[in-house]
């Protein structure tokens, strides 16, 4: 049966290849869909930090994936007083070497492989075999977002994959997140970690780019080199519904880019 753990009590039998670290605060309504999608994409393990008020509902929702999930229940007061970044570092950093690759995702984020790749694991194994960073494999891979609006919805639906079809045009400068080596991380960030000196970063076509600095973790490189139409990896970010419904700048009808069983996208509009 699924049980929750303090980080000091977590024991994993092997070093995983790809793990997800996330903080959830009363966000349990789409967790089953979120887990199923990322398991299909090759994620081996999930470390989910949740406030105690939501933990019972969380346990019920994640039960089918109990062998792949560790829940870290945080007291409601601590959850309210500390930022997500503080919680990620307090509870996630001690576990960081239990997986070769990590990605920090939110409950609204669905990451997936594109083009000739079927899963995220396929791309990461290819990256492991490349020595395109000054003769060594990459330590961090930059991943851009596709941003989806609330689709005239005012309540978050049970399935975001089938109900969100409006997104921002791909001509806009995208937000980014990162997949990173656990062994090379000094500090975890919501979108990009602080990496050890000498670490090498690539875009998700495995081409070297500048690693974010300690002062500015926003990677600086030619955005044309990570055009969303060419990416091997992408992330769909689904905005929370609000009382106004769909935002006006979410104007592209995008019904084909999301496939419930894989997201292997061929639509480049």
């Amino acid at each position: 049966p699924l049980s929750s753990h303090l980080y000091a009590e977590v024991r994993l039998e092997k070093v995983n290849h790809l793990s997800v670290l996330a903080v959830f605060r009363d966000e349990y309504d789409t967790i089953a869909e979120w887990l199923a999608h990322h398991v299909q994409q090759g994620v081996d393990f999930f470390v989910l930090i949740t406030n105690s008020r939501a933990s019972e509902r969380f346990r019920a929702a994640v039960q089918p994936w109990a062998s792949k999930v560790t829940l870290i229940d945080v007291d409601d007061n601590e959850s309210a007083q500390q930022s997500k970044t503080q919680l990620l570092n307090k509870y996630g950093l001690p576990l960081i070497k239990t997986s070769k690759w990590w990605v920090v995702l939110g409950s609204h984020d669905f990451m997936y492989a594109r083009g000739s790749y079927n899963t995220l694991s396929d791309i990461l194994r290819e990256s492991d075999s490349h020595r395109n960073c000054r003769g060594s494999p990459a330590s961090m891979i930059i991943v851009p977002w596709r941003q989806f609006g609330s689709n005239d919805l005012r309540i978050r639906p049970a399935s975001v994959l089938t109900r969100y079809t409006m997104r921002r045009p791909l001509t806009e400068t995208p937000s980014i997140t990162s997949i990173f080596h656990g062994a090379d991380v000094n500090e975890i960030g919501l979108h990009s970690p602080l990496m050890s000196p000498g670490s090498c970063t690539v875009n998700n076509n495995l081409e070297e780019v500048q690693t974010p600095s300690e002062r500015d973790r926003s990677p600086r490189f030619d955005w044309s080199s990570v055009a969303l139409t060419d990416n091997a990896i992408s992330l769909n970010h689904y905005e929370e519904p609000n009382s106004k419904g769909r935002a006006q700048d979410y104007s592209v009808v995008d019904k084909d880019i999301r496939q419930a069983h894989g997201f292997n996208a061929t639509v480049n509009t």
Side-chain angles (χ1 to χ4, degrees):
L2 185 73
S3 60
S4 59
H5 308 273
L6 296 175
Y7 73 86
E9 298 173 339
V10 175
R11 296 290 184 268
L12 302 181
E13 295 179 355
K14 62 182 179 65
V15 175
N16 295 297
H17 190 242
L18 173 61
S19 296
V20 168
L21 180 61
V23 177
F24 288 81
R25 289 170 170 158
D26 299 320
E27 299 161 310
Y28 61 91
D29 49 349
T30 58
I31 184 64
E33 182 176 43
W34 185 88
L35 283 167
H37 168 78
H38 289 104
V39 167
Q40 190 279 333
Q41 281 291 316
V43 173
D44 299 305
F45 203 78
F46 301 82
V47 176
L48 308 181
I49 303 168
T50 179
N51 56 315
S52 57
R53 184 172 55 190
S55 61
E56 289 304 320
R57 290 173 291 186
F58 230 78
R59 285 191 183 89
V62 305
Q63 184 62 47
W65 299 273
S67 63
K68 292 180 176 289
V69 175
T70 284
L71 293 184
I72 299 176
D73 294 340
V74 177
D75 179 82
D76 285 337
N77 290 331
E78 181 181 4
S79 177
Q81 293 170 5
Q82 296 202 33
S83 68
K84 287 188 175 182
T85 300
Q86 289 173 316
L87 293 172
L88 289 169
N89 281 282
K90 179 177 180 179
Y91 295 104
L93 200 57
L95 301 176
I96 206 70
K97 292 185 179 180
T98 61
S99 186
K100 183 168 188 177
W101 291 96
W102 286 87
V103 60
V104 176
L105 295 176
S107 62
H108 301 173
D109 301 334
F110 287 70
M111 186 176 284
Y112 56 101
R114 302 182 68 241
S116 61
Y117 300 97
N118 292 317
T119 69
L120 296 172
S121 293
D122 292 341
I123 300 170
L124 295 178
R125 289 190 175 91
E126 182 170 328
S127 177
D128 291 340
S129 66
H130 276 227
R131 298 192 173 274
N132 48 358
C133 276
R134 300 180 293 276
S136 300
S139 297
M140 183 162 68
I141 302 173
I142 299 298
V143 179
W145 296 4
R146 295 171 184 262
Q147 293 182 294
F148 286 76
S150 55
N151 257 59
D152 291 323
L153 301 173
R154 300 191 179 188
I155 299 175
R156 193 164 176 81
S159 170
V160 296
L161 306 190
T162 57
R163 294 297 304 277
Y164 278 64
T165 59
M166 302 294 292
R167 64 165 169 77
R168 288 181 177 173
L170 301 185
T171 54
E172 298 184 13
T173 299
S175 300
I176 62 96
T177 193
S178 305
I179 306 175
F180 53 89
H181 265 185
D184 297 323
V185 170
N186 286 339
E187 184 179 331
I188 300 171
L190 281 177
H191 303 299
S192 290
L194 178 60
M195 304 296 285
S196 302
S199 298
C200 181
T201 301
V202 296
N203 62 30
N204 65 66
N205 292 319
L206 306 183
E207 302 161 335
E208 184 176 356
V209 296
Q210 182 175 335
T211 298
S213 66
E214 184 172 358
R215 289 187 176 182
D216 180 9
R217 297 189 189 178
S218 300
R220 290 170 289 172
F221 50 87
D222 181 3
W223 282 106
S224 65
S225 70
V226 290
L228 281 167
T229 56
D230 299 326
N231 279 169
I233 311 173
S234 195
L235 181 148
N236 285 5
H237 175 79
Y238 299 96
E239 297 288 347
E240 189 73 27
N242 56 59
S243 60
K244 295 181 180 179
R246 187 183 70 234
Q248 293 301 309
D249 58 346
Y250 293 88
S251 57
V252 177
V253 177
D254 199 340
K255 296 182 179 180
D256 300 321
I257 202 167
R258 297 162 344 281
Q259 301 297 326
H261 300 288
F263 274 44
N264 194 308
T266 57
V267 176
N268 293 329
T269 305

